[in-house]
Amino acid sequence: MEKRNLTCIVCPMGCALTVELEEGKVLSVSGNTCPRGEKYAQEECTHPTRVLTSTIRVADGVLPVVPVKTAAPIPKELLFEAMAALRELTVPAPVAIGDVICPDLCGTGIALLATSSVEKKEPDA
Amino acid sequence: MKKLDLVIIGGGPAGMAAAVAAYEKGVRNLLILDREPQLGGILEQCIHNGFGLHRFKEELTGPEYAARFAEKVAEYGIPCLLNTMVLDLETESDGTKIVTAVSPQEGYLKLNARAVILAMGCRERPRGALNIAGTRPAGIYTAGAAQKFVNIKGQMPGKRVVILGSGDIGLIMARRMTLEGAKVEAVCELMPYSGGLTRNIVQCLADFGIPLKLSHTVVQIHGKERVEAVTIAAVGPDRRPIPGTEEKIPCDTLLLSVGLIPENELSRQAGVEMDPVTGGAVVDENRQTSIPGVFACGNVLHVHDLVDYVSEEAEIAGKQAAAYLDGCRMDAEMFPVSGKDGVRYVVPQRIRKGAAPFALYFRVGDVYRDVRIVVECGGKTLVSRIKKKVAPGEMETLPLKAEQVSQIDGLVTVRLEQKGAE
Ligand SMILES: Cc1cc2nc3c(=O)[nH]c(=O)nc-3n(C[C@H](O)[C@H](O)[C@H](O)COP(=O)(O)OP(=O)(O)OC[C@H]3O[C@@H](n4cnc5c(N)ncnc54)[C@H](O)[C@@H]3O)c2cc1C
Ligand code: SF4
């Protein structure tokens, strides 16, 4: 049996949780003050996910990069793979907030969205 | 000289929300000034998510949160003068405010305003405020400066990083630089607890196995041209390094996340009365400062951790500035508010006689569990509330109802009745 210590982040209480696991299955959760802590521990130990936020390069923009986010949380273990994919991307300016940069990031079925706008640079006269 | 009803200094979330609220109360002759080329303030570089949970029940990134307000500003056609740095604020004997600013498009300009809202935000404490031995090689940045490099300019300041201070910006940058391929060796925190939000400690450090060294500080910086290493050491309860605990960590970058200070040079020049604890102006429940017609809100007033409260506070200032312009004078008798027994500061610092219902914003000085927050006036308890946990990194709010406000007739104190400090 494996034991894991987590801090619940669902509310500012930050309860220290202890999870007992066997072959990837959660056997018990303790230390939580409310049921939300148990649910959090379940998810964290079986399929943790995170929203990834980063930047990608913009060609001919007034700024060199535009911030992006995944439209929904992606599996945590894919974060670095997704970052590598982002490094390969360049979008042409203009970019508008909410633009879909990539419809399916790393086979997750989740889109990558622009979270800000970058205008096109005026060509030098 | 151009004559305006209301000038808003700073176009971050505070300035934008204040302008929108004033507009909605009928103010039309108004102007937002900001030294940056766009509205949004610090949020433009905060590309991570977690903004707006209280207000929009959604997790937005910083630029998305800012865009919601910038769209309103545009929809109402509220004029903004960007790339414009405000240099001075003065009050004439008849109460008119003179705002002096410079901008590349307008040059040197003087504006005449009947009311002013201060919304200049805060800045990071620089290294000068710290006492670390060693020369001053390249590779030392505030965490916020590093955030701007990476998120706006698309440049990485270094590859091997040590972070001093566990404020939220430092934590966010630990994750950001790790994702961009840097190795973050450690985050050192002088205090026995982190000043950052728990969520950030978990998702920015624990997720990536970055050690958080509580009760540790940087005692020396090595390297001539560029940082080559730092020496860290454990500190005792007196916050002084404990000899023999030194550890040298090779790195090329040291980020400082050692606190924020409200940016109040203008307010001081204008003669606004300041609160030495918050570093911001002393205000009443309407967010009016000691100068009639000058209001303050957001991080320039006191450092907020959640932008939702910045917007809420700014709406109070905007609405009340509109009332002031309508001729409503806020010169009733005032009662002082103060924090004690663990409560470090309370905003507002004053309450006017006959005030409308409002909320108290305050911060505690240590981590406490199972405490009762008590608000008293002249021996009467106005409100009390039990909290399972309060911490210096999380601002508390406590709303007062009309019947509670009506009982205020002297000094109001906010204190903790503790069952135990950690
Ligand atoms: C790194 C970081 C991470 C954060 N993370 C979160 C989070 O996850 N969730 C959350 O809810 N909140 C977060 N916050 C807090 C939130 O972003 C701030 O509380 C909020 O941005 C403060 O708004 P403001 O308008 O008071 O100040 P600012 O956003 O700083 O805006 C002030 C504006 O005033 C302008 N200005 C200042 N002086 C002058 C002058 N003399 N002349 C002209 N213009 C001037 C500046 O250019 C700036 O645009 C974070 C803050 C930081 C710094
Ligand atoms: S277990 Fe419940 S009370 Fe504890 S931190 Fe999680 S949500 Fe909050």
Side-chain angles (χ1 to χ4, degrees):
Chain A
M1 195 184 63
E2 187 201 341
K3 256 196 184 170
R4 273 180 68 183
N5 296 315
L6 297 175
T7 308
C8 181
I9 59 161
V10 180
C11 89
M13 276 287 289
C15 295
L17 310 178
T18 306
V19 190
E20 291 182 330
L21 290 153
E22 193 148 316
E23 288 167 11
K25 277 225 166 74
V26 175
L27 297 181
S28 73
V29 178
S30 55
N32 56 310
T33 308
C34 79
R36 288 178 300 170
E38 189 172 336
K39 181 161 172 271
Y40 170 78
Q42 275 279 358
E43 283 172 8
E44 271 299 289
C45 293
T46 52
H47 54 94
T49 59
R50 300 285 184 268
V51 168
L52 174 65
T53 60
S54 186
T55 50
I56 59 166
R57 276 191 305 270
V58 177
D60 303 319
V62 290
L63 291 171
V65 291
V66 65
V68 292
K69 70 171 182 186
T70 55
I74 63 170
K76 188 179 150 190
E77 71 270 15
L78 289 182
L79 284 180
F80 283 96
E81 196 183 320
M83 281 300 291
L86 260 57
R87 241 165 258 139
E88 300 303 314
L89 292 172
T90 301
V91 283
V95 187
I97 186 168
D99 277 2
V100 176
I101 304 290
C102 159
D104 177 4
L105 186 66
C106 297
T108 53
I110 291 164
L112 188 69
L113 307 176
T115 55
S116 190
S117 303
V118 176
E119 287 177 21
K120 204 173 157 78
K121 193 162 56 188
E122 294 291 329
D124 292 327
Chain B
M1 202 182 319
K2 191 163 179 179
K3 278 196 160 67
L4 288 143
D5 284 336
L6 177 62
V7 168
I8 296 136
I9 308 176
M16 292 192 290
V20 166
Y23 185 94
E24 287 175 352
K25 286 282 166 192
V27 181
R28 290 294 178 272
N29 186 15
L30 76 174
L31 178 66
I32 303 176
L33 302 174
D34 200 294
R35 62 183 172 204
E36 295 293 324
Q38 75 281 319
L39 292 176
I42 196 82
L43 290 183
E44 291 303 309
Q45 67 182 61
C46 299
I47 64 161
H48 56 283
N49 70 332
F51 296 83
L53 262 178
H54 289 269
R55 193 182 181 98
F56 297 114
K57 309 280 172 261
E58 244 188 283
E59 283 205 40
L60 302 171
T61 64
E64 290 174 309
Y65 187 94
R68 300 238 166 150
F69 287 87
E71 280 159 19
K72 270 270 175 244
V73 170
E75 182 192 323
Y76 291 160
I78 298 173
C80 310
L81 216 46
L82 300 173
N83 294 308
T84 303
M85 174 89 183
V86 176
L87 302 174
D88 191 38
L89 170 65
E90 283 172 285
T91 312
E92 305 274 79
S93 51
D94 67 349
T96 316
K97 281 90 198 159
I98 310 288
V99 179
T100 311
V102 280
S103 82
Q105 50 304 18
E106 309 269 331
Y108 187 80
L109 81 160
K110 270 188 185 282
L111 303 166
N112 183 313
R114 289 171 58 210
V116 168
I117 297 179
L118 306 171
M120 290 92 73
C122 61
R123 66 183 146 78
E124 285 174 290
R125 220 163 250 155
R127 183 194 171 196
L130 269 94
N131 231 335
I132 308 174
T135 48
R136 290 182 169 239
I140 307 172
Y141 308 95
T142 62
Q147 189 179 44
K148 194 165 180 178
F149 281 144
V150 181
N151 293 347
I152 302 211
K153 302 196 171 137
Q155 293 162 357
M156 280 286 279
K159 291 231 144 300
R160 241 178 133 172
V161 188
V162 170
I163 300 176
L164 175 60
S166 63
D168 286 312
I169 317 177
L171 300 177
I172 296 281
M173 282 313 289
R175 171 174 64 188
R176 185 74 184 109
M177 295 203 49
T178 303
L179 284 171
E180 287 290 349
K183 173 99 176 73
V184 179
E185 301 288 348
V187 174
C188 295
E189 171 58 58
L190 184 68
M191 304 301 281
Y193 54 83
S194 165
L197 300 171
T198 309
R199 169 195 163 98
N200 285 338
I201 294 169
V202 171
Q203 297 201 336
C204 299
L205 301 186
D207 267 12
F208 302 99
I210 300 168
L212 172 59
K213 291 179 172 286
L214 296 174
S215 300
H216 272 72
T217 192
V218 170
V219 290
Q220 197 170 0
I221 299 168
H222 308 269
K224 275 209 185 74
E225 303 288 307
R226 171 95 201 181
V227 175
E228 286 163 15
V230 297
T231 299
I232 67 167
V235 297
D238 58 354
R239 317 254 182 272
R240 302 192 73 83
I242 303 170
T245 63
E246 295 88 357
E247 181 191 347
K248 191 168 171 177
I249 306 179
C251 61
D252 58 22
T253 305
L254 173 66
L255 297 189
L256 304 174
S257 180
V258 290
L260 298 161
I261 13 181
E263 184 137 327
N264 271 305
E265 283 67 25
L266 283 175
S267 326
R268 278 194 205 92
Q269 279 167 19
V272 167
E273 183 187 342
M274 305 295 289
D275 178 333
V277 183
T278 58
V282 170
V283 291
D284 64 21
E285 78 285 358
N286 292 338
R287 301 302 186 270
Q288 182 172 249
T289 67
S290 59
I291 301 182
V294 176
F295 297 78
C297 56
N299 278 354
V300 77
L301 185 55
H302 58 122
V303 176
H304 295 63
D305 30 62
L306 291 181
V307 68
D308 310 66
Y309 292 117
V310 169
S311 307
E312 183 180 288
E313 178 167 275
E315 281 160 356
I316 301 172
K319 239 161 95 177
Q320 296 301 332
Y324 174 87
L325 289 168
D326 276 344
C328 163
R329 287 294 164 264
M330 301 155 192
D331 49 9
E333 189 186 348
M334 301 235 231
F335 304 115
V337 186
S338 87
K340 63 175 193 177
D341 300 342
V343 175
R344 207 162 67 80
Y345 76 73
V346 188
V347 171
Q349 292 88 345
R350 291 176 184 150
I351 299 166
R352 285 168 323 126
K353 193 173 184 171
F358 63 93
L360 294 167
Y361 291 9
F362 62 94
R363 269 183 206 274
V364 297
D366 205 338
V367 178
Y368 300 98
R369 284 182 192 273
D370 296 314
V371 286
R372 183 190 293 276
I373 301 163
V374 186
V375 182
E376 288 169 331
C377 181
K380 298 175 295 237
T381 299
L382 301 179
V383 204
S384 87
R385 185 184 288 177
I386 293 175
K387 285 283 283 189
K388 291 216 155 180
K389 186 186 172 194
V390 287
E394 290 175 26
M395 189 184 84
E396 299 291 331
T397 62
L398 200 59
L400 297 186
K401 296 199 190 82
E403 70 261 28
Q404 294 155 348
V405 177
S406 67
Q407 293 181 48
I408 297 174
D409 54 7
L411 171 74
V412 177
T413 53
V414 184
R415 62 183 180 87
L416 297 182
E417 266 177 22
Q418 62 176 94
K419 294 186 185 150
E422 263 180 359

